[in-house]
Amino acid sequence: VQLQASGGGLVQAGGSLRLSCAVSGRSFKTYVMAWFRQAPGKVREFVVGNRWSGSGTVYGDSVNGRFTMSGASDENTVYLQMNSLRPEDTAIYYCAASTSRPTIGQMFTTRQYQYWGQGTLVTVSS
């Protein structure tokens, strides 16, 4: 599977952006999909994920209530809607797919994901 992330850019604090992750091959619903981010000098951090199995969306503590993950089956694309952006949200954002069906608790760990997009840079100015 190939993942193509896009939609990053420069936005002022309080603004919004929508990131896209186009999934090639099988439907994105056959994978556990997630978004991670990595700020300069920091480890890659879980943002949000979805197992598409009725267990709902899992959010990282730093974005809960501000970010929303969704998917469009006709486009085979996963989205990350980011609202109320803060300077601390500045990072490279990566979409990821897992074929190993991690549990909800395992979803936060990068090693559970076998496929990664190339990343898209989000910069939030104060």
Side-chain angles (χ1 to χ4, degrees):
V1 61
Q2 291 185 326
L3 308 176
Q4 182 71 37
S6 61
L10 174 64
V11 64
Q12 289 187 333
S16 299
L17 276 177
R18 189 179 76 161
L19 306 184
S20 300
C21 177
V23 180
S24 66
R26 295 187 295 172
S27 167
F28 66 82
K29 292 187 177 180
T30 63
Y31 308 100
V32 172
M33 298 292 302
W35 288 93
F36 285 77
R37 68 185 182 185
Q38 189 165 17
K42 295 189 176 181
V43 298
R44 195 165 295 188
E45 173 192 23
F46 175 86
V47 176
V48 61
N50 199 315
R51 303 177 78 245
W52 316 110
S53 61
S55 54
T57 306
V58 179
Y59 291 94
D61 290 341
S62 60
V63 304
N64 201 1
R66 299 187 297 123
F67 291 10
T68 303
M69 182 177 183
S70 63
S73 295
D74 56 342
E75 299 172 352
N76 210 26
T77 298
V78 175
Y79 298 100
L80 179 64
Q81 178 66 43
M82 306 185 294
N83 299 326
S84 302
L85 282 162
R86 305 167 180 169
E88 54 264 39
D89 294 318
T90 295
I92 298 174
Y93 283 71
Y94 299 90
C95 59
S98 175
T99 59
S100 59
R101 305 303 298 177
T103 65
I104 291 176
Q106 293 172 330
M107 290 171 63
F108 294 80
T109 307
T110 57
R111 66 175 181 269
Q112 296 292 334
Y113 298 86
Q114 296 78 34
Y115 302 99
W116 292 83
Q118 84 285 6
T120 185
L121 176 62
V122 173
T123 303
V124 184
S125 63
S126 57

